[in-house]
mmCIF file of all heavy atoms in Angstrom:
data_model
loop_
_atom_site.group_PDB
_atom_site.id
_atom_site.type_symbol
_atom_site.label_atom_id
_atom_site.label_comp_id
_atom_site.label_asym_id
_atom_site.label_seq_id
_atom_site.Cartn_x
_atom_site.Cartn_y
_atom_site.Cartn_z
ATOM 1 N N VAL Q 5 8.777 21.926 -20.150
ATOM 2 C CA VAL Q 5 8.137 20.930 -19.252
ATOM 3 C C VAL Q 5 8.371 19.497 -19.892
ATOM 4 O O VAL Q 5 7.998 19.253 -20.966
ATOM 5 C CB VAL Q 5 6.668 21.164 -19.081
ATOM 6 C CG1 VAL Q 5 6.015 20.235 -18.052
ATOM 7 C CG2 VAL Q 5 6.365 22.651 -18.564
ATOM 8 N N ASP Q 6 8.897 18.635 -19.062
ATOM 9 C CA ASP Q 6 9.280 17.319 -19.517
ATOM 10 C C ASP Q 6 8.473 16.207 -18.851
ATOM 11 O O ASP Q 6 8.904 15.074 -18.689
ATOM 12 C CB ASP Q 6 10.701 16.989 -19.293
ATOM 13 C CG ASP Q 6 11.636 17.761 -20.239
ATOM 14 O OD1 ASP Q 6 11.169 17.954 -21.425
ATOM 15 O OD2 ASP Q 6 12.704 18.128 -19.907
ATOM 16 N N ILE Q 7 7.196 16.577 -18.435
ATOM 17 C CA ILE Q 7 6.388 15.542 -17.839
ATOM 18 C C ILE Q 7 6.088 14.429 -18.705
ATOM 19 O O ILE Q 7 6.067 13.245 -18.267
ATOM 20 C CB ILE Q 7 5.036 16.183 -17.407
ATOM 21 C CG1 ILE Q 7 5.238 17.246 -16.230
ATOM 22 C CG2 ILE Q 7 4.063 15.156 -16.869
ATOM 23 C CD1 ILE Q 7 4.137 18.088 -15.852
ATOM 24 N N ASP Q 8 5.869 14.601 -20.011
ATOM 25 C CA ASP Q 8 5.555 13.561 -20.838
ATOM 26 C C ASP Q 8 6.722 12.534 -21.026
ATOM 27 O O ASP Q 8 6.480 11.312 -21.156
ATOM 28 C CB ASP Q 8 5.177 14.074 -22.337
ATOM 29 C CG ASP Q 8 6.165 15.066 -22.913
ATOM 30 O OD1 ASP Q 8 7.071 15.480 -22.149
ATOM 31 O OD2 ASP Q 8 6.153 15.332 -24.027
ATOM 32 N N VAL Q 9 7.933 13.042 -20.926
ATOM 33 C CA VAL Q 9 9.136 12.149 -20.974
ATOM 34 C C VAL Q 9 9.100 11.172 -19.789
ATOM 35 O O VAL Q 9 9.251 9.914 -19.926
ATOM 36 C CB VAL Q 9 10.483 12.943 -20.963
ATOM 37 C CG1 VAL Q 9 11.660 12.022 -20.855
ATOM 38 C CG2 VAL Q 9 10.559 13.775 -22.213
ATOM 39 N N LEU Q 10 8.886 11.690 -18.540
ATOM 40 C CA LEU Q 10 8.812 10.881 -17.394
ATOM 41 C C LEU Q 10 7.537 9.948 -17.382
ATOM 42 O O LEU Q 10 7.644 8.825 -16.899
ATOM 43 C CB LEU Q 10 8.864 11.741 -16.139
ATOM 44 C CG LEU Q 10 10.247 12.376 -15.856
ATOM 45 C CD1 LEU Q 10 10.108 13.377 -14.735
ATOM 46 C CD2 LEU Q 10 11.166 11.278 -15.487
ATOM 47 N N MET Q 11 6.520 10.459 -17.896
ATOM 48 C CA MET Q 11 5.291 9.559 -17.996
ATOM 49 C C MET Q 11 5.568 8.385 -18.836
ATOM 50 O O MET Q 11 5.170 7.323 -18.608
ATOM 51 C CB MET Q 11 4.077 10.399 -18.560
ATOM 52 C CG MET Q 11 3.598 11.400 -17.565
ATOM 53 S SD MET Q 11 2.228 12.371 -18.276
ATOM 54 C CE MET Q 11 1.060 11.136 -18.790
ATOM 55 N N ALA Q 12 6.240 8.590 -19.911
ATOM 56 C CA ALA Q 12 6.606 7.524 -20.898
ATOM 57 C C ALA Q 12 7.531 6.528 -20.197
ATOM 58 O O ALA Q 12 7.377 5.324 -20.276
ATOM 59 C CB ALA Q 12 7.190 8.068 -22.131
ATOM 60 N N LYS Q 13 8.561 7.016 -19.448
ATOM 61 C CA LYS Q 13 9.482 6.119 -18.838
ATOM 62 C C LYS Q 13 8.754 5.324 -17.724
ATOM 63 O O LYS Q 13 9.122 4.198 -17.505
ATOM 64 C CB LYS Q 13 10.550 7.006 -18.153
ATOM 65 C CG LYS Q 13 11.620 7.552 -19.173
ATOM 66 C CD LYS Q 13 12.695 8.291 -18.426
ATOM 67 C CE LYS Q 13 13.679 8.822 -19.360
ATOM 68 N NZ LYS Q 13 14.732 9.684 -18.707
ATOM 69 N N ARG Q 14 7.828 5.924 -17.054
ATOM 70 C CA ARG Q 14 7.089 5.268 -15.932
ATOM 71 C C ARG Q 14 5.834 4.460 -16.410
ATOM 72 O O ARG Q 14 5.146 3.812 -15.769
ATOM 73 C CB ARG Q 14 6.619 6.253 -14.923
ATOM 74 C CG ARG Q 14 7.725 7.149 -14.336
ATOM 75 C CD ARG Q 14 8.801 6.412 -13.533
ATOM 76 N NE ARG Q 14 9.579 7.313 -12.754
ATOM 77 C CZ ARG Q 14 10.818 7.781 -13.227
ATOM 78 N NH1 ARG Q 14 11.281 7.391 -14.412
ATOM 79 N NH2 ARG Q 14 11.582 8.551 -12.460
ATOM 80 N N LYS Q 15 5.593 4.639 -17.763
ATOM 81 C CA LYS Q 15 4.389 3.948 -18.352
ATOM 82 C C LYS Q 15 3.125 4.227 -17.653
ATOM 83 O O LYS Q 15 2.361 3.413 -17.183
ATOM 84 C CB LYS Q 15 4.678 2.386 -18.471
ATOM 85 C CG LYS Q 15 5.816 2.000 -19.405
ATOM 86 C CD LYS Q 15 5.992 0.540 -19.423
ATOM 87 C CE LYS Q 15 6.936 0.160 -20.461
ATOM 88 N NZ LYS Q 15 8.401 0.309 -20.152
ATOM 89 N N ILE Q 16 2.885 5.590 -17.468
ATOM 90 C CA ILE Q 16 1.657 6.018 -16.818
ATOM 91 C C ILE Q 16 0.824 7.008 -17.835
ATOM 92 O O ILE Q 16 1.461 7.776 -18.472
ATOM 93 C CB ILE Q 16 1.960 6.725 -15.422
ATOM 94 C CG1 ILE Q 16 0.766 7.037 -14.654
ATOM 95 C CG2 ILE Q 16 2.885 8.018 -15.700
ATOM 96 C CD1 ILE Q 16 1.052 7.526 -13.237
ATOM 97 N N SER Q 17 -0.460 6.779 -17.808
ATOM 98 C CA SER Q 17 -1.253 7.615 -18.625
ATOM 99 C C SER Q 17 -1.597 8.969 -18.066
ATOM 100 O O SER Q 17 -1.485 9.096 -16.789
ATOM 101 C CB SER Q 17 -2.597 6.831 -18.965
ATOM 102 O OG SER Q 17 -3.376 6.836 -17.784
ATOM 103 N N VAL Q 18 -2.059 9.856 -18.874
ATOM 104 C CA VAL Q 18 -2.480 11.188 -18.343
ATOM 105 C C VAL Q 18 -3.625 11.046 -17.358
ATOM 106 O O VAL Q 18 -3.594 11.635 -16.275
ATOM 107 C CB VAL Q 18 -2.930 12.123 -19.525
ATOM 108 C CG1 VAL Q 18 -3.563 13.376 -19.031
ATOM 109 C CG2 VAL Q 18 -1.779 12.440 -20.403
ATOM 110 N N GLY Q 19 -4.578 10.226 -17.696
ATOM 111 C CA GLY Q 19 -5.758 10.031 -16.727
ATOM 112 C C GLY Q 19 -5.281 9.415 -15.419
ATOM 113 O O GLY Q 19 -5.698 9.910 -14.420
ATOM 114 N N ASP Q 20 -4.479 8.386 -15.439
ATOM 115 C CA ASP Q 20 -4.002 7.808 -14.162
ATOM 116 C C ASP Q 20 -3.144 8.775 -13.352
ATOM 117 O O ASP Q 20 -3.295 8.916 -12.130
ATOM 118 C CB ASP Q 20 -3.171 6.550 -14.528
ATOM 119 C CG ASP Q 20 -2.809 5.807 -13.268
ATOM 120 O OD1 ASP Q 20 -3.605 5.788 -12.239
ATOM 121 O OD2 ASP Q 20 -1.756 5.091 -13.220
ATOM 122 N N LEU Q 21 -2.221 9.530 -14.033
ATOM 123 C CA LEU Q 21 -1.389 10.524 -13.323
ATOM 124 C C LEU Q 21 -2.247 11.554 -12.685
ATOM 125 O O LEU Q 21 -2.075 11.985 -11.560
ATOM 126 C CB LEU Q 21 -0.331 11.097 -14.261
ATOM 127 C CG LEU Q 21 0.646 12.145 -13.579
ATOM 128 C CD1 LEU Q 21 1.330 11.392 -12.453
ATOM 129 C CD2 LEU Q 21 1.613 12.598 -14.675
ATOM 130 N N ALA Q 22 -3.284 12.089 -13.446
ATOM 131 C CA ALA Q 22 -4.089 13.048 -12.974
ATOM 132 C C ALA Q 22 -4.803 12.698 -11.726
ATOM 133 O O ALA Q 22 -4.929 13.512 -10.712
ATOM 134 C CB ALA Q 22 -5.116 13.510 -14.047
ATOM 135 N N VAL Q 23 -5.345 11.486 -11.706
ATOM 136 C CA VAL Q 23 -6.103 10.936 -10.476
ATOM 137 C C VAL Q 23 -5.105 10.892 -9.327
ATOM 138 O O VAL Q 23 -5.406 11.249 -8.229
ATOM 139 C CB VAL Q 23 -6.658 9.568 -10.811
ATOM 140 C CG1 VAL Q 23 -7.190 8.922 -9.562
ATOM 141 C CG2 VAL Q 23 -7.805 9.693 -11.776
ATOM 142 N N ARG Q 24 -3.900 10.344 -9.613
ATOM 143 C CA ARG Q 24 -2.936 10.178 -8.516
ATOM 144 C C ARG Q 24 -2.433 11.476 -7.869
ATOM 145 O O ARG Q 24 -2.069 11.469 -6.709
ATOM 146 C CB ARG Q 24 -1.911 9.212 -8.941
ATOM 147 C CG ARG Q 24 -2.360 7.801 -9.241
ATOM 148 C CD ARG Q 24 -1.273 6.855 -9.840
ATOM 149 N NE ARG Q 24 -0.248 6.692 -8.832
ATOM 150 C CZ ARG Q 24 0.824 5.955 -9.043
ATOM 151 N NH1 ARG Q 24 1.017 5.388 -10.305
ATOM 152 N NH2 ARG Q 24 1.753 5.791 -8.131
#
Side-chain angles (χ1 to χ4, degrees):
V5 181
D6 288 327
I7 293 173
D8 54 345
V9 173
L10 285 168
M11 287 176 58
K13 286 181 181 178
R14 306 294 192 265
K15 295 182 171 80
I16 187 169
S17 69
V18 171
D20 188 32
L21 182 58
V23 167
R24 292 177 64 185

